[in-house]
Amino acid sequence: MKIIIDRFDGTKKYESTYELTNEEIKGKTLLTVLFDIKQKKDATLNFTASCRSAICGACAVRVNGHSYLACDTKMNELLAEYGNPDTIRISPLGNFKVISDLMVDWEPSIENLRKIKPSITAKPEFSAEKGCKQSQKEYDKVALEWDCILCGACASECNKLEADASDYMQPFVFVHAYRAAFDSRSKDPMPHLKPAIDNGLWMCVKCQECADRCPKGISACADITDLRIMAIQKGFNEGMGPDHAEAFLTDLVDGSGRLNEVRLALRSEGVIKNMGKLDIAANLMLAGKMNPLHVFGEEDIEGHDDLVKMINAARKAASKE
């Protein structure tokens, strides 16, 4: 079969094609195949790797446009996923600056991690003698997030970063903000929560790509949601993001039970800002995606009363935690 690798020499982009036999692929991981290519076919190929045990996260790459941790990806399973093709393409992670071939620049990501202060300051009741004890429930709250190995697979898949990275940190940064903010041993969640709010917490588009591709099964999307809830509970309830969330809840409980697209924009951004989006509204109406008459309300969905009871029960349960 053919393996095409997207290359970059610091100046220009190009691709290299390598022919491999079934014996050269059989029983190997994607990372082993990359090493074989470098050691036996092309010593100029550059990529990063270290532990080979799915611990360091260094070897993440894209195959056919999707992110994989190379050391944890078996070639037979990878090829079967794509219908056993004759050719696959290996590329560097998306939404990162490429340094050389499959190597990407992590410095901006490290700076973002510094912003959310991933280390925690222990509560005053803890000490070297007493330790920092947690209940099983408290441990379970952050256990999965501690498994994040900073491979970058989530960032590579992130549609928000693809569209505009200027006002949004990588998904894994929010995972570590969550881990520190929700750790029961932490003295104060604010050093982690506030920088997350200031650096795009409400900009996540909920595409779920981060959760789908994480090799450790972590959902950055879910962690971002919990950070948003904490932000509102801590009084950070002003701005387009919180207003947008409040509009959703209002439509579910006080409205018809379905999202009112017309009112959503008005509640989230106000009348003045939406004046500049009349062309978008017109296109949505022409496409049948928006009914202007819904500004006056809609009929309740079937079972709306039961939905309201469920939401109120969830609120009551949450207030007791």
Side-chain angles (χ1 to χ4, degrees):
M1 70 168 296
K2 292 181 180 179
I3 292 183
I4 302 172
I5 299 182
D6 288 321
R7 309 287 299 274
F8 180 62
D9 63 5
T11 302
K12 67 178 184 297
K13 295 180 179 180
Y14 62 102
E15 62 183 39
S16 296
T17 301
Y18 307 95
E19 294 274 359
L20 280 77
T21 65
N22 289 334
E23 287 301 317
E24 289 177 302
I25 293 174
K26 184 179 179 180
K28 294 182 178 180
T29 65
L30 175 58
L31 180 58
T32 301
V33 169
L34 287 174
F35 271 116
D36 285 350
I37 292 173
K38 184 173 181 65
Q39 294 167 357
K40 301 174 183 178
K41 299 179 183 293
D42 187 354
T44 68
L45 177 64
N46 290 320
F47 57 89
T48 54
S50 184
C51 72
R52 302 197 190 195
S53 301
I55 295 173
C56 72
C59 65
V61 294
R62 285 187 298 167
V63 178
N64 292 353
H66 298 287
S67 303
Y68 296 86
L69 194 61
C71 69
D72 199 36
T73 302
K74 297 179 177 64
M75 284 300 297
N76 62 325
E77 295 177 359
L78 176 65
L79 295 175
E81 184 178 341
Y82 291 102
N84 293 307
D86 295 328
T87 303
I88 61 171
R89 179 180 291 273
I90 303 176
S91 312
L93 292 176
N95 300 319
F96 285 85
K97 177 184 176 181
V98 180
I99 297 174
S100 175
D101 296 341
L102 303 177
M103 299 171 61
V104 297
D105 184 9
W106 269 83
E107 279 304 314
S109 301
I110 299 303
E111 288 303 314
N112 282 336
L113 283 166
R114 290 192 178 106
K115 290 177 184 176
I116 55 96
K117 298 177 175 58
S119 60
I120 64 174
T121 300
K123 292 177 178 177
E125 60 262 33
F126 296 131
S127 66
E129 294 75 27
K130 296 180 180 179
C132 298
K133 296 182 180 180
Q134 288 180 299
S135 67
Q136 186 63 49
K137 184 178 180 180
E138 291 169 337
Y139 168 80
D140 291 340
K141 184 74 173 177
V142 295
L144 189 58
E145 285 70 23
W146 275 103
D147 287 341
C148 175
I149 56 176
L150 298 176
C151 66
C154 59
S156 179
E157 303 289 323
C158 178
N159 285 312
K160 167 55 184 168
L161 290 176
E162 182 73 26
D164 181 9
S166 65
D167 56 358
Y168 187 67
M169 298 189 293
Q170 295 84 353
F172 57 79
V173 179
F174 293 105
V175 168
H176 284 270
Y178 169 98
R179 173 187 55 74
F182 280 90
D183 195 310
S184 63
R185 300 167 297 179
S186 178
K187 178 182 178 181
D188 184 8
M190 294 309 298
H192 321 290
L193 175 63
K194 187 60 167 60
I197 297 171
D198 294 340
N199 290 276
L201 179 64
W202 289 97
M203 302 305 292
C204 171
V205 298
K206 297 294 180 179
C207 65
Q208 298 289 342
E209 293 289 345
C210 55
D212 289 344
R213 303 311 301 186
C214 177
K216 297 296 183 180
I218 302 168
S219 174
C221 185
D223 291 344
I224 287 170
T225 296
D226 283 347
L227 283 169
R228 288 175 175 180
I229 293 171
M230 176 184 280
I232 291 175
Q233 291 173 340
K234 295 291 184 181
F236 296 94
N237 52 11
E238 295 183 358
M240 187 176 69
D243 289 344
H244 196 75
E246 184 64 29
F248 269 78
L249 184 59
T250 298
D251 285 342
L252 286 176
V253 179
D254 299 328
S256 66
R258 62 172 63 88
L259 183 64
N260 190 311
E261 297 284 357
V262 181
R263 291 180 177 177
L264 174 65
L266 296 173
R267 291 189 187 116
S268 299
E269 299 181 280
V271 175
I272 295 176
K273 285 188 176 181
N274 276 285
M275 291 296 290
K277 300 179 180 179
L278 292 177
D279 57 332
I280 298 175
N283 289 333
L284 288 172
M285 291 176 194
L286 289 172
K289 301 290 186 180
M290 180 185 292
N291 186 342
L293 296 178
H294 286 170
V295 73
F296 302 109
E298 304 174 72
E299 291 185 8
D300 288 354
I301 63 170
E302 184 179 351
H304 182 249
D305 290 341
D306 291 334
L307 173 64
V308 173
K309 290 178 182 178
M310 290 171 59
I311 292 174
N312 288 334
R315 284 170 164 170
K316 186 176 180 180
S319 67
K320 294 180 179 179
E321 291 185 355

